[in-house]
């Protein structure tokens, strides 16, 4: 089975043409609303270890959220949503569409070559959202109606716990795997036996651990995924 890694919220970069709309937003850009801290590091580690394609972006989700569909109310931050349609379409054509096209092409090529692909979309989540503490260390998001995704996440959770028993691993937490996103859009293009789309969510408190502990967590994720993919039917 083929594997493709993506990272939609890998950075908080604002391209120069749009700097003046963000001069007052530095703290926001540096927060979880600006990007997913640690997600790109995890994505690169997975892609490097498995020697598979990585599609990643460092453009801030505040400018355009690559994990949202066109027309979604949170595709842009509020200030960008108020700009003239011409500017918003420019942002979409320069940053959103090329990313989505590249991700879709990598998925299509993998399916064409191997018949089936596992797509891991790397994200991270804040451990405190509006005063509510999220205690999970890792979330695995999937569509429960798709048997292959359900089985993969159950097996991956077991493999993670075997590698690191103290990890709190939850399925479809802190979000529902069927929410609007890249994996959801790709499920509409491919049947369950050809496409397995999983969102890997890491608690940001762990991505900020000392270097050796953060590296150890990445190693656990990688090792457990190797175990999980070996157990899948060819």
């Amino acid at each position: 089975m083929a594997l493709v890694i993506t990272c939609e919220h890998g950075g908080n970069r604002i391209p120069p043409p749009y700097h003046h709309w963000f001069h007052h937003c530095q703290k926001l850009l540096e927060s979880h609303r600006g990007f997913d801290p640690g997600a790109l590091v995890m994505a690169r580690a997975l892609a490097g270890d498995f020697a598979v394609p990585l599609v990643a972006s460092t453009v801030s989700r505040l400018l355009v959220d690559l994990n949202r569909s066109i027309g979604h109310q949170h595709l842009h931050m509020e200030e960008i949503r108020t700009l003239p349609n011409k500017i918003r379409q420019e942002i979409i054509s320069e940053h959103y569409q090329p990313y989505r096209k590249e991700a879709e092409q990598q998925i299509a090529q993998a399916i064409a070559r191997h018949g089936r692909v596992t797509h891991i979309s790397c994200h991270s989540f804040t451990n405190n959202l509006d005063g509510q503490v999220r205690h999970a260390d890792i979330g695995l998001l999937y569509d429960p109606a798709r048997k292959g995704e359900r089985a993969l996440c159950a097996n991956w959770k077991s493999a993670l716990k075997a590698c690191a028993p103290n990890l709190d691993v939850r399925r479809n937490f802190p979000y529902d795997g069927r929410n609007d996103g890249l994996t959801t859009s790709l499920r509409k293009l491919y049947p369950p036996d050809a496409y397995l789309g999983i969102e890997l969510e890491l608690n940001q408190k762990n991505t900020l651990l000392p270097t050796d502990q953060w590296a150890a967590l990445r190693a656990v994720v990688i090792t457990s995924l190797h175990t999980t993919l070996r157990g899948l039917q060819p």
Side-chain angles (χ1 to χ4, degrees):
M1 178 188 289
L3 180 66
V4 172
I5 309 297
T6 68
C7 184
E8 290 69 59
H9 304 144
N12 57 5
R13 180 172 61 89
I14 300 297
Y18 312 108
H19 279 178
H20 58 286
W21 284 301
F22 290 87
H23 64 86
H24 65 294
C25 296
Q26 193 56 41
K27 286 187 177 180
L28 192 63
L29 284 167
E30 293 172 358
S31 75
H32 68 94
R33 291 184 59 192
F35 73 120
D36 283 0
L40 184 56
V41 175
M42 184 75 255
R44 286 172 172 164
L46 282 167
D49 187 271
F50 283 89
V52 297
L54 168 63
V55 183
S57 172
T58 58
V59 172
S60 176
R61 67 202 299 179
L62 295 174
L63 182 71
V64 60
D65 192 331
L66 305 178
N67 202 39
R68 293 288 173 258
S69 298
I70 298 294
H72 192 281
Q73 62 175 340
H74 294 139
L75 181 65
H76 309 283
M77 69 177 289
E78 185 176 355
E79 286 83 352
I80 301 300
R81 294 199 300 269
T82 64
L83 295 178
N85 182 64
K86 180 180 179 180
I87 297 177
R88 287 184 282 113
Q89 289 303 316
E90 178 184 86
I91 292 169
I92 289 170
S93 65
E94 291 183 359
H95 301 288
Y96 182 95
Q97 291 175 340
Y99 182 89
R100 284 296 189 111
K101 182 178 180 180
E102 176 64 18
E104 290 171 5
Q105 285 180 341
Q106 291 292 344
I107 295 296
Q109 289 172 7
I111 293 174
R113 292 171 182 166
H114 304 280
R116 184 166 64 163
V117 65
T118 296
H119 167 208
I120 307 296
S121 175
C122 293
H123 297 267
S124 66
F125 62 94
T126 178
N127 68 316
N128 191 317
L129 183 65
D130 299 328
Q132 181 178 359
V133 178
R134 294 149 145 183
H135 294 288
D137 295 300
I138 295 175
L140 303 175
L141 279 54
Y142 63 101
D143 183 348
R146 294 169 79 99
K147 181 179 178 181
E149 293 183 11
R150 189 170 68 246
L152 190 153
C153 286
N155 293 340
W156 197 359
K157 178 179 179 180
S158 297
L160 282 162
K161 295 294 284 185
C163 289
N166 292 330
L167 282 180
D168 184 355
V169 182
R170 302 186 192 182
R171 288 175 287 175
N172 279 338
F173 179 91
Y175 310 107
D176 190 320
R178 295 168 295 185
N179 288 347
D180 180 66
L182 178 57
T183 54
T184 300
S185 70
L186 288 165
R187 290 184 192 118
K188 297 175 182 177
L189 299 178
Y190 300 106
D193 60 344
Y195 174 78
L196 285 74
I198 311 299
E199 288 188 50
L200 170 65
E201 290 275 0
L202 303 177
N203 193 318
Q204 289 169 11
K205 70 177 183 181
N206 293 330
T207 70
L208 300 175
L209 289 170
T211 302
D212 57 339
Q213 295 179 47
W214 173 209
L217 177 60
R218 296 197 302 276
V220 165
V221 171
I222 291 169
T223 299
S224 62
L225 184 57
H226 274 291
T227 300
T228 302
L229 294 182
R230 282 197 300 268
L232 293 179
Q233 291 295 325

